[in-house]
């Protein structure tokens, strides 16, 4: 069970890696939408890395750029997340990387948890 404790502005939780402050006020902690988008991006990125490693596709680095669309007319909900996986030094063509990314999308528990309510688009950019 996770235990969130109220603070003056927002909430805090102590986790094995450290303390996480969460608040709608960015000066008092991470905003919930930032954590949502980060969870989507990093879960997908982690599964993608594992798949590339299992397929023995080498790369120097993978960075993720995220663009977020929010519906201000309806409680500012997150409606779309566009992820660009910027891959440096990949030893594979873009088609092979895209196939691995599709597999990652199908196997990422966070993406699968939210993809019926949030449109998630993932693309590859090779450098």
């Amino acid at each position: 069970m996770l235990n969130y404790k109220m603070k003056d502005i927002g909430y805090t939780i102590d986790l094995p890696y450290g303390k996480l402050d969460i608040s709608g006020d960015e000066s008092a902690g991470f905003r919930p939408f930032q954590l949502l988008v980060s969870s989507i991006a990093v879960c997908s990125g982690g599964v993608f890395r594992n798949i590339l490693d299992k397929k023995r596709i080498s790369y120097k680095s993978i960075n993720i750029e995220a663009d977020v669309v929010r519906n201000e007319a309806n409680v500012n909900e997150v409606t779309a997340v566009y992820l660009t996986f910027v891959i440096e030094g990949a030893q594979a063509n873009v088609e092979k990387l895209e196939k691995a990314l599709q597999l990652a999308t199908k196997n990422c528990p966070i993406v699968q948890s939210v993809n019926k309510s949030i449109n998630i688009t993932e693309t590859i950019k090779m450098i």
Side-chain angles (χ1 to χ4, degrees), residues 73-89:
N74 189 24
V75 300
N76 215 15
E77 67 184 319
V78 174
T79 58
V81 176
Y82 299 93
L83 301 176
T84 302
F85 291 82
V86 182
I87 304 172
E88 182 179 356

Side-chain angles (χ1 to χ4, degrees), residues 54-127:
K54 285 180 183 177
K55 291 183 177 280
R56 294 189 172 109
I57 297 173
S58 63
Y59 53 89
K60 184 176 178 183
S61 68
I62 302 172
N63 293 317
I64 306 168
E65 298 170 350
D67 288 318
V68 181
V69 177
R70 299 181 75 182
N71 182 355
E72 293 178 18
N74 189 24
V75 300
N76 215 15
E77 67 184 319
V78 174
T79 58
V81 176
Y82 299 93
L83 301 176
T84 302
F85 291 82
V86 182
I87 304 172
E88 182 179 356
Q91 300 300 310
N93 61 36
V94 71
E95 292 81 17
K96 194 176 243 186
L97 295 172
E98 286 173 344
K99 188 174 180 181
L101 184 56
Q102 288 172 357
L103 186 59
T105 300
K106 291 178 185 175
N107 288 285
C108 172
I110 301 299
V111 169
Q112 292 306 310
S113 295
V114 301
N115 70 359
K116 289 179 179 59
S117 59
I118 299 173
N119 179 30
I120 300 171
T121 304
E122 299 175 319
T123 58
I124 303 259
K125 178 180 174 184
M126 295 177 69
I127 57 171

Side-chain angles (χ1 to χ4, degrees), residues 1-52:
M1 172 174 29
L2 300 174
N3 187 12
Y4 298 88
K5 296 179 181 160
M6 188 174 79
K7 50 183 212 165
D8 288 341
I9 301 173
Y11 287 81
T12 190
I13 183 169
D14 290 313
L15 298 167
Y17 190 72
K19 183 173 96 167
L20 179 63
D21 291 319
I22 307 162
S23 174
D25 180 345
E26 199 166 325
S27 68
F30 293 100
R31 296 181 62 200
F33 96 90
Q34 294 169 325
L35 295 172
L36 174 67
V37 174
S38 295
S39 295
I40 294 167
V42 174
C43 178
S44 189
V47 175
F48 183 49
R49 286 176 64 175
N50 288 340
I51 290 169
L52 293 180

